[in-house]
Amino acid sequence: QDNRISIWSVGDLGNVGLNGEYQGDPQLLCDIRHNGDVMDMQFLDQERIVVASSTGTVTVFRHHQNNQTLSANQRWEKAHYHVDQDTSCGGAACTGVICNNPEIVTVGEDGRINLFRADQKDAVRTIDNADSSTLHAVTFLRTTEILTVNSIGQLKIWDLRQQRNEPSQIFSLTGDRVPLHCVDRHPNQQHIVATGGQDGMLSIWDIRQGTMPVSLLNAHEAEMWEVHFHPSNPDHLFTCSEDGSLWHWDTSTDVSEKPSFLHQGGRSTTYFSHNTINQSVVSAWLSNDPTKDRMEITNLIPNQTLSVNSLDILGPCLVYGTDAEAIYVNRQLFA
């Protein structure tokens, strides 16, 4: 009933014990009340956090680092709503938010897409009937394009430069209409997208070709709540589920016969595929069956029984939250 946004300090990386455990407890720096369930949140910049509420409101909180307080910096009341914005019960949950400072895109149960700009009172753009079903998640494809996933198994691309309110492309899981809950784009190869949904399957899509996923990988036994490529090591992908598991997918161990070379600026090894006309570099994620090329999959929390609802990764750190009302930080991702 009483929800809060909290900022924690988990100390510095130097403080790691012999077995890799972080020493010292995380410190709660500050927190603030939040109206409605927190459906999603993202940092807009170093100080501001954008939060999506089940009431349909989107709030930007500012973290004041000098005196460690949080304050509501900006609020778009009932950015998402079912009937009209004015009725007291009219709010529809805002299910997802993504930031590309100063732009903020939100999606919701009402099938609406909003484009806000920090420090502007009104929405820059609203696509009212973007979807007839619930939009569960959104991500930027590039600065002018976004990708949404919905509750009937569709992935849609929207070009924000276009004034028309239709998607520029629609992709879908064949005929099953399995709700998709999460989406993430490969950080270097923007045509590669991963999604997860109700059936726990991991789908990898190449949005340059076809309207169906390149590969469907058996993953979790229940809903997949979140999927994330590692931001600087995208051969690694992480998924978490209602079934209490958190999987680390590693395609970097490919030892097949294909000639490989190293990217500049990253350890990711890429492979030539000989059937492409221009011998272009193809990601390990796009091979027809990535598991054949010895993809390693590790469940990072083997005996967990309660749902893992959310995860995020930065460098060697993985953070996740579960139904045990606890937040876990794993600092030994690539140990």
Side-chain angles (χ1 to χ4, degrees):
Q1 300 306 305
D2 174 25
N3 297 306
R4 309 185 82 77
I5 302 288
S6 310
I7 301 250
W8 297 80
S9 160
V10 288
D12 59 17
L13 281 166
N15 262 354
V16 177
L18 291 171
N19 57 354
E21 283 305 295
Y22 168 67
Q23 301 185 311
D25 290 327
Q27 296 294 312
L28 176 63
L29 297 179
C30 51
D31 64 359
I32 191 170
R33 289 201 55 175
H34 179 268
N35 198 3
D37 293 344
V38 176
M39 304 296 285
D40 197 7
M41 58 179 170
Q42 245 215 345
F43 276 96
L44 176 68
D45 53 28
Q46 290 288 322
E47 295 187 329
R48 288 179 296 177
I49 305 131
V50 183
V51 182
S53 170
S54 59
T55 63
T57 294
V58 177
T59 312
V60 184
F61 290 98
R62 187 179 285 276
H63 174 212
H64 305 275
Q65 290 165 4
N66 51 357
N67 59 358
Q68 290 307 343
T69 55
L70 273 166
S71 65
N73 180 239
Q74 190 168 8
R75 188 173 275 129
W76 293 284
E77 295 283 349
K78 288 197 189 143
H80 295 271
Y81 54 92
H82 283 305
V83 190
D84 59 73
Q85 270 174 304
D86 303 328
T87 48
S88 59
C89 59
C94 176
T95 50
V97 53
I98 191 84
C99 304
N100 185 11
N101 193 4
E103 298 192 316
I104 299 162
V105 174
T106 69
V107 295
E109 266 177 17
D110 52 358
R112 229 177 228 95
I113 299 173
N114 289 308
L115 172 63
F116 296 110
R117 203 160 278 142
D119 307 326
Q120 281 189 24
K121 198 163 60 86
D122 298 319
V124 178
R125 173 99 189 269
T126 295
I127 305 176
D128 271 329
N129 301 309
D131 215 298
S132 54
S133 64
T134 295
L135 289 169
H136 281 142
V138 59
T139 190
F140 273 99
L141 210 46
R142 42 181 70 85
T143 48
T144 54
E145 277 185 316
I146 56 166
L147 240 165
T148 58
V149 292
N150 70 11
S151 58
I152 55 170
Q154 292 173 321
L155 203 142
K156 297 182 182 181
I157 297 181
W158 305 83
D159 186 338
L160 298 172
R161 293 164 302 191
Q162 299 289 334
Q163 280 316 300
R164 57 198 189 93
N165 290 345
E166 275 85 48
S168 51
Q169 272 175 288
I170 299 179
F171 303 83
S172 62
L173 293 166
T174 47
D176 300 344
R177 302 200 159 231
V178 175
L180 290 173
H181 290 305
C182 52
V183 58
D184 196 29
R185 155 179 88 66
H186 190 289
N188 322 338
Q189 302 193 26
Q190 288 159 330
H191 53 276
I192 302 175
V193 172
T195 63
Q198 193 85 40
D199 57 2
M201 297 277 276
L202 171 64
S203 310
I204 305 289
W205 311 67
D206 181 347
I207 58 173
R208 300 169 305 184
Q209 49 185 320
T211 54
M212 284 157 53
V214 184
S215 52
L216 286 168
L217 301 166
N218 273 317
H220 302 280
E221 273 153 36
E223 293 90 343
M224 184 189 295
W225 292 131
E226 193 124 47
V227 57
H228 273 302
F229 286 100
H230 191 288
S232 52
N233 232 342
D235 287 346
H236 299 266
L237 178 95
F238 299 85
T239 59
C240 65
S241 165
E242 180 71 29
D243 68 10
S245 60
L246 194 161
W247 286 18
H248 173 187
W249 306 70
D250 176 4
T251 60
S252 68
T253 51
D254 188 311
V255 289
S256 62
E257 302 312 314
K258 302 178 235 175
S260 71
F261 74 102
L262 286 161
H263 260 333
Q264 285 92 15
R267 285 201 326 216
S268 59
T269 314
T270 12
Y271 298 95
F272 283 125
S273 154
H274 289 297
N275 54 11
T276 47
I277 303 161
N278 59 354
Q279 301 280 304
S280 69
V281 176
V282 174
S283 165
W285 289 109
L286 294 186
S287 64
N288 291 345
D289 178 8
T291 45
K292 268 210 303 278
D293 291 331
R294 231 192 80 211
M295 179 191 290
E296 284 187 24
I297 302 163
T298 318
N299 182 8
L300 298 179
I301 35 176
N303 306 318
Q304 160 86 8
T305 50
L306 296 168
S307 174
V308 184
N309 301 321
S310 187
L311 73 93
D312 206 356
I313 348 122
L314 187 65
C317 286
L318 167 77
V319 57
Y320 56 95
T322 76
D323 270 357
E325 298 188 8
I327 299 162
Y328 298 87
V329 181
N330 173 347
R331 296 167 171 277
Q332 293 280 303
L333 264 194
F334 301 117

Short mmCIF file of all heavy atoms in Angstrom, two decimals, residues 100-135:
data_model
loop_
_atom_site.label_atom_id
_atom_site.label_comp_id
_atom_site.label_asym_id
_atom_site.label_seq_id
_atom_site.Cartn_x
_atom_site.Cartn_y
_atom_site.Cartn_z
N ASN A 100 16.19 8.88 -23.15
CA ASN A 100 17.34 9.23 -23.96
C ASN A 100 17.42 10.74 -23.81
O ASN A 100 16.87 11.47 -24.62
CB ASN A 100 17.12 8.79 -25.41
CG ASN A 100 18.35 9.03 -26.26
OD1 ASN A 100 19.41 9.33 -25.74
ND2 ASN A 100 18.19 8.94 -27.57
N ASN A 101 18.05 11.17 -22.71
CA ASN A 101 18.00 12.55 -22.26
C ASN A 101 18.13 13.53 -23.43
O ASN A 101 19.03 13.40 -24.23
CB ASN A 101 19.15 12.77 -21.26
CG ASN A 101 19.01 14.06 -20.49
OD1 ASN A 101 18.04 14.79 -20.63
ND2 ASN A 101 20.01 14.36 -19.67
N PRO A 102 17.23 14.54 -23.56
CA PRO A 102 16.15 14.91 -22.64
C PRO A 102 14.81 14.20 -22.92
O PRO A 102 13.80 14.57 -22.35
CB PRO A 102 15.99 16.40 -22.92
CG PRO A 102 16.27 16.52 -24.38
CD PRO A 102 17.33 15.48 -24.68
N GLU A 103 14.80 13.21 -23.81
CA GLU A 103 13.52 12.62 -24.18
C GLU A 103 13.17 11.42 -23.30
O GLU A 103 14.04 10.65 -22.88
CB GLU A 103 13.54 12.23 -25.66
CG GLU A 103 13.73 13.48 -26.53
CD GLU A 103 13.46 13.23 -27.99
OE1 GLU A 103 13.94 12.18 -28.48
OE2 GLU A 103 12.81 14.07 -28.63
N ILE A 104 11.87 11.30 -23.03
CA ILE A 104 11.35 10.21 -22.21
C ILE A 104 10.16 9.63 -22.97
O ILE A 104 9.27 10.38 -23.38
CB ILE A 104 10.86 10.76 -20.85
CG1 ILE A 104 12.01 11.42 -20.08
CG2 ILE A 104 10.19 9.66 -20.03
CD1 ILE A 104 11.54 12.34 -18.96
N VAL A 105 10.17 8.32 -23.16
CA VAL A 105 9.02 7.68 -23.81
C VAL A 105 8.35 6.77 -22.80
O VAL A 105 9.03 6.04 -22.06
CB VAL A 105 9.46 6.86 -25.04
CG1 VAL A 105 8.28 6.09 -25.62
CG2 VAL A 105 10.06 7.78 -26.11
N THR A 106 7.01 6.84 -22.73
CA THR A 106 6.28 5.96 -21.81
C THR A 106 5.24 5.17 -22.59
O THR A 106 4.70 5.65 -23.60
CB THR A 106 5.57 6.75 -20.69
OG1 THR A 106 4.49 7.51 -21.26
CG2 THR A 106 6.53 7.68 -19.98
N VAL A 107 4.96 3.94 -22.12
CA VAL A 107 3.89 3.12 -22.70
C VAL A 107 3.01 2.63 -21.56
O VAL A 107 3.43 2.64 -20.40
CB VAL A 107 4.45 1.92 -23.50
CG1 VAL A 107 5.23 2.39 -24.71
CG2 VAL A 107 5.31 1.01 -22.62
N GLY A 108 1.79 2.18 -21.92
CA GLY A 108 0.90 1.80 -20.83
C GLY A 108 -0.14 0.76 -21.20
O GLY A 108 -0.25 0.31 -22.34
N GLU A 109 -0.93 0.42 -20.18
CA GLU A 109 -2.02 -0.54 -20.35
C GLU A 109 -3.08 -0.02 -21.30
O GLU A 109 -3.87 -0.79 -21.83
CB GLU A 109 -2.68 -0.80 -18.99
CG GLU A 109 -2.09 -2.00 -18.29
CD GLU A 109 -2.70 -2.21 -16.90
OE1 GLU A 109 -3.77 -1.63 -16.61
OE2 GLU A 109 -2.08 -2.95 -16.12
N ASP A 110 -3.12 1.28 -21.50
CA ASP A 110 -4.12 1.88 -22.39
C ASP A 110 -3.69 1.84 -23.85
O ASP A 110 -4.38 2.38 -24.71
CB ASP A 110 -4.38 3.33 -21.96
CG ASP A 110 -3.10 4.15 -21.85
OD1 ASP A 110 -2.00 3.59 -22.06
OD2 ASP A 110 -3.19 5.36 -21.56
N GLY A 111 -2.55 1.23 -24.14
CA GLY A 111 -2.09 1.16 -25.53
C GLY A 111 -1.58 2.48 -26.08
O GLY A 111 -1.44 2.66 -27.29
N ARG A 112 -1.29 3.42 -25.16
CA ARG A 112 -0.83 4.75 -25.55
C ARG A 112 0.69 4.83 -25.52
O ARG A 112 1.33 4.19 -24.70
CB ARG A 112 -1.35 5.76 -24.54
CG ARG A 112 -2.01 6.97 -25.11
CD ARG A 112 -2.59 7.91 -24.04
NE ARG A 112 -3.95 8.23 -24.43
CZ ARG A 112 -5.01 7.60 -23.99
NH1 ARG A 112 -4.91 6.65 -23.10
NH2 ARG A 112 -6.20 7.94 -24.43
N ILE A 113 1.27 5.67 -26.40
CA ILE A 113 2.69 5.99 -26.34
C ILE A 113 2.81 7.50 -26.15
O ILE A 113 2.19 8.27 -26.88
CB ILE A 113 3.43 5.61 -27.65
CG1 ILE A 113 3.33 4.10 -27.92
CG2 ILE A 113 4.89 6.06 -27.61
CD1 ILE A 113 3.88 3.67 -29.27
N ASN A 114 3.58 7.91 -25.13
CA ASN A 114 3.83 9.34 -24.91
C ASN A 114 5.29 9.65 -25.11
O ASN A 114 6.15 8.89 -24.66
CB ASN A 114 3.48 9.75 -23.47
CG ASN A 114 1.99 9.75 -23.20
OD1 ASN A 114 1.23 10.35 -23.94
ND2 ASN A 114 1.58 9.04 -22.15
N LEU A 115 5.56 10.77 -25.75
CA LEU A 115 6.94 11.27 -25.83
C LEU A 115 6.98 12.58 -25.03
O LEU A 115 6.28 13.54 -25.36
CB LEU A 115 7.34 11.53 -27.29
CG LEU A 115 8.68 12.24 -27.52
CD1 LEU A 115 9.83 11.40 -26.98
CD2 LEU A 115 8.89 12.54 -29.00
N PHE A 116 7.75 12.57 -23.95
CA PHE A 116 7.91 13.77 -23.12
C PHE A 116 9.32 14.29 -23.29
O PHE A 116 10.23 13.56 -23.71
CB PHE A 116 7.70 13.44 -21.64
CG PHE A 116 6.32 12.98 -21.30
CD1 PHE A 116 6.08 11.65 -20.95
CD2 PHE A 116 5.25 13.86 -21.33
CE1 PHE A 116 4.80 11.23 -20.63
CE2 PHE A 116 3.96 13.44 -21.01
CZ PHE A 116 3.73 12.12 -20.67
N ARG A 117 9.49 15.57 -22.93
CA ARG A 117 10.84 16.10 -22.86
C ARG A 117 11.01 16.68 -21.46
O ARG A 117 10.13 17.38 -20.97
CB ARG A 117 11.04 17.17 -23.93
CG ARG A 117 12.49 17.36 -24.30
CD ARG A 117 12.66 18.04 -25.66
NE ARG A 117 12.55 17.09 -26.76
CZ ARG A 117 11.95 17.38 -27.92
NH1 ARG A 117 11.41 18.56 -28.12
NH2 ARG A 117 11.89 16.47 -28.87
N ALA A 118 12.13 16.34 -20.83
CA ALA A 118 12.37 16.84 -19.48
C ALA A 118 12.25 18.36 -19.52
O ALA A 118 12.69 19.01 -20.46
CB ALA A 118 13.77 16.43 -19.03
N ASP A 119 11.63 18.92 -18.49
CA ASP A 119 11.44 20.37 -18.35
C ASP A 119 10.36 20.94 -19.26
O ASP A 119 10.19 22.14 -19.32
CB ASP A 119 12.76 21.16 -18.54
CG ASP A 119 13.85 20.61 -17.62
OD1 ASP A 119 13.52 20.17 -16.51
OD2 ASP A 119 15.03 20.60 -18.04
N GLN A 120 9.64 20.08 -20.01
CA GLN A 120 8.47 20.59 -20.76
C GLN A 120 7.21 20.05 -20.12
O GLN A 120 7.12 18.86 -19.85
CB GLN A 120 8.54 20.19 -22.23
CG GLN A 120 9.49 21.07 -23.04
CD GLN A 120 9.37 20.81 -24.55
OE1 GLN A 120 8.35 20.35 -25.02
NE2 GLN A 120 10.42 21.12 -25.28
N LYS A 121 6.24 20.96 -19.93
CA LYS A 121 5.06 20.59 -19.17
C LYS A 121 4.16 19.62 -19.92
O LYS A 121 3.57 18.72 -19.34
CB LYS A 121 4.28 21.86 -18.81
CG LYS A 121 3.28 21.68 -17.68
CD LYS A 121 2.86 23.01 -17.10
CE LYS A 121 2.20 23.94 -18.13
NZ LYS A 121 0.77 23.74 -18.31
N ASP A 122 4.01 19.83 -21.23
CA ASP A 122 3.10 18.99 -21.99
C ASP A 122 3.86 17.96 -22.81
O ASP A 122 5.03 18.16 -23.13
CB ASP A 122 2.24 19.86 -22.92
CG ASP A 122 1.38 20.82 -22.12
OD1 ASP A 122 0.84 20.39 -21.08
OD2 ASP A 122 1.27 22.00 -22.51
N ALA A 123 3.15 16.89 -23.16
CA ALA A 123 3.76 15.85 -23.99
C ALA A 123 4.16 16.45 -25.34
O ALA A 123 3.42 17.26 -25.92
CB ALA A 123 2.78 14.71 -24.19
N VAL A 124 5.32 16.07 -25.82
CA VAL A 124 5.76 16.52 -27.15
C VAL A 124 4.89 15.84 -28.20
O VAL A 124 4.54 16.41 -29.22
CB VAL A 124 7.24 16.14 -27.37
CG1 VAL A 124 7.72 16.54 -28.75
CG2 VAL A 124 8.11 16.77 -26.30
N ARG A 125 4.53 14.59 -27.90
CA ARG A 125 3.79 13.79 -28.86
C ARG A 125 3.06 12.69 -28.11
O ARG A 125 3.59 12.10 -27.18
CB ARG A 125 4.81 13.18 -29.83
CG ARG A 125 4.29 12.17 -30.82
CD ARG A 125 4.07 12.84 -32.16
NE ARG A 125 3.38 11.95 -33.06
CZ ARG A 125 3.96 11.12 -33.89
NH1 ARG A 125 5.28 11.04 -33.93
NH2 ARG A 125 3.25 10.36 -34.70
N THR A 126 1.82 12.42 -28.51
CA THR A 126 1.09 11.29 -27.94
C THR A 126 0.47 10.50 -29.08
O THR A 126 -0.17 11.08 -29.95
CB THR A 126 -0.02 11.76 -26.98
OG1 THR A 126 0.59 12.41 -25.87
CG2 THR A 126 -0.84 10.59 -26.46
N ILE A 127 0.69 9.20 -29.09
CA ILE A 127 0.02 8.34 -30.07
C ILE A 127 -1.06 7.61 -29.28
O ILE A 127 -0.79 6.67 -28.54
CB ILE A 127 1.01 7.36 -30.73
CG1 ILE A 127 2.19 8.12 -31.36
CG2 ILE A 127 0.30 6.51 -31.78
CD1 ILE A 127 3.28 7.26 -31.96
N ASP A 128 -2.30 8.10 -29.43
CA ASP A 128 -3.38 7.65 -28.54
C ASP A 128 -3.75 6.19 -28.70
O ASP A 128 -3.85 5.47 -27.74
CB ASP A 128 -4.63 8.51 -28.76
CG ASP A 128 -4.60 9.73 -27.85
OD1 ASP A 128 -4.04 9.62 -26.75
OD2 ASP A 128 -5.12 10.79 -28.25
N ASN A 129 -3.99 5.76 -29.92
CA ASN A 129 -4.38 4.37 -30.11
C ASN A 129 -3.26 3.59 -30.76
O ASN A 129 -3.46 2.91 -31.75
CB ASN A 129 -5.65 4.28 -30.96
CG ASN A 129 -6.79 5.04 -30.28
OD1 ASN A 129 -7.06 4.82 -29.11
ND2 ASN A 129 -7.42 5.95 -31.00
N ALA A 130 -2.09 3.70 -30.16
CA ALA A 130 -0.93 3.02 -30.73
C ALA A 130 -1.17 1.52 -30.76
O ALA A 130 -0.75 0.83 -31.66
CB ALA A 130 0.32 3.34 -29.91
N ASP A 131 -1.89 1.02 -29.75
CA ASP A 131 -2.12 -0.41 -29.69
C ASP A 131 -3.47 -0.69 -29.07
O ASP A 131 -3.92 0.03 -28.19
CB ASP A 131 -1.03 -1.09 -28.84
CG ASP A 131 -0.68 -2.46 -29.38
OD1 ASP A 131 -1.59 -3.32 -29.38
OD2 ASP A 131 0.45 -2.66 -29.80
N SER A 132 -4.12 -1.74 -29.56
CA SER A 132 -5.42 -2.09 -29.00
C SER A 132 -5.25 -2.97 -27.76
O SER A 132 -6.19 -3.25 -27.04
CB SER A 132 -6.26 -2.83 -30.04
OG SER A 132 -5.51 -3.94 -30.52
N SER A 133 -4.01 -3.45 -27.53
CA SER A 133 -3.76 -4.25 -26.34
C SER A 133 -2.76 -3.51 -25.45
O SER A 133 -2.29 -2.44 -25.79
CB SER A 133 -3.21 -5.62 -26.74
OG SER A 133 -1.96 -5.48 -27.37
N THR A 134 -2.44 -4.11 -24.31
CA THR A 134 -1.49 -3.49 -23.39
C THR A 134 -0.09 -3.46 -23.99
O THR A 134 0.39 -4.47 -24.50
CB THR A 134 -1.45 -4.29 -22.07
OG1 THR A 134 -2.72 -4.18 -21.43
CG2 THR A 134 -0.38 -3.74 -21.13
N LEU A 135 0.56 -2.31 -23.89
CA LEU A 135 1.99 -2.22 -24.24
C LEU A 135 2.77 -2.51 -22.96
O LEU A 135 2.55 -1.86 -21.95
CB LEU A 135 2.33 -0.83 -24.77
CG LEU A 135 1.77 -0.52 -26.17
CD1 LEU A 135 1.92 0.95 -26.49
CD2 LEU A 135 2.48 -1.36 -27.23
#
